[in-house]
Structure formats: C-alpha cells, structure tokens
Amino acid sequence: MDDELALTIRDAAARTGLSPHTLRYYERIGLLGRVPRASSGHRRYGERELRMIDFLRKLQATGMPIRDMLRYAALVRRGDDTRPARRALLEQHEARVQARLDELAGNLAIIRKKIAMYGEATTTKKKGTKTR
C-alpha cells in the first residue's frame, strides 16, 4: 500500500461512492483482496485498492455479471501470468457491451425518427389551422 494514501473505510467509501458495508462485502466475497490494515486492525485503502474498486464499478455499470467480476479479480491476484486470461475475459465483455450499444443505437434512431415525425405533424397541424 502506498504510504502516502491510507484511507479509512469511511474515507474510501466517500471517495468511491460505495458504502462501507459494500466495501466490506467486496472484500468478503473476493472482489477485493484482503485490504491492508493499520496496527489497530482497521482497514486502510491505498491507491491500488481504489483503482480496483473504480474498475470493478465500471465492469458492473457495463453489465458484467458478478461471477465474471470475481473471476477477473481472482486472476488479478494470481499475478502477471494471468494477463492473457484477463484480456480474454475483458474482450468477451467488450463484445457484449458493444452489442448492447449497437442495440441501443438502433433503438435511439427509431425514437429520434418518431420524435421528428411528431415534430412534422405538429408543424403541419399549425400551418393548416385557421386563425380566428
């Protein structure tokens, strides 16, 4: 852990946007390795832990299942020899995210077309309305 940064669980929660309960849960289920402790036994989060939490949140936000997040975290803890497996896992997730983005883009195009149609209908109606 970086000597310059050793956040308490409360500070790490504020920094990451997660609750202390969620941070403990991440550690308990193995998404985070064992978080370093102060001599008092209290958790102290360093840059490495914060970077991992940030990346896990991005994986979660993009829809990665928890089982794949756990697999990724376990591979990270096993070291550099697992880089090819980590890359493969992230490439599979990337393909799923890209497919979802493509689907959303198609849906958005349909919504925009409908909005434009309603805009034209409103303009046409206004032009054809008689003023009294």
Side-chain angles (χ1 to χ4, degrees), residues 59 62-65 67-69 71 88-103:
L59 294 176
T62 56
M64 180 179 270
R67 69 181 173 279
D68 290 345
M69 291 170 61
R71 187 168 154 230
L89 181 65
L90 292 176
E91 286 173 341
Q92 290 167 3
H93 183 61
E94 176 191 32
R96 288 189 301 269
V97 170
Q98 187 60 59
R100 181 69 178 131
L101 285 171
D102 294 345
E103 179 184 1

Side-chain angles (χ1 to χ4, degrees), residues 1-41:
M1 178 173 57
D2 299 339
D3 290 333
E4 295 177 21
L5 181 68
L7 299 177
T8 64
I9 195 165
R10 183 176 299 179
D11 292 338
R15 183 103 168 249
T16 63
L18 297 174
S19 68
H21 174 77
T22 300
L23 291 173
R24 285 186 208 95
Y25 173 73
Y26 275 18
E27 185 179 358
R28 187 174 69 250
I29 67 169
L31 281 175
L32 289 177
R34 182 157 162 69
V35 175
R37 308 288 174 133
S39 58
S40 64

Side-chain angles (χ1 to χ4, degrees), residues 29-70:
I29 67 169
L31 281 175
L32 289 177
R34 182 157 162 69
V35 175
R37 308 288 174 133
S39 58
S40 64
H42 294 117
R43 290 169 177 84
R44 293 294 183 254
Y45 293 81
E47 283 297 333
R48 185 178 66 203
E49 289 79 26
L50 295 177
R51 280 192 309 270
M52 184 63 164
I53 292 165
D54 183 55
F55 189 61
L56 290 170
R57 292 197 70 197
K58 286 174 178 35
L59 294 176
Q60 182 182 36
T62 56
M64 180 179 270
I66 191 110
R67 69 181 173 279
D68 290 345
M69 291 170 61
L70 286 165

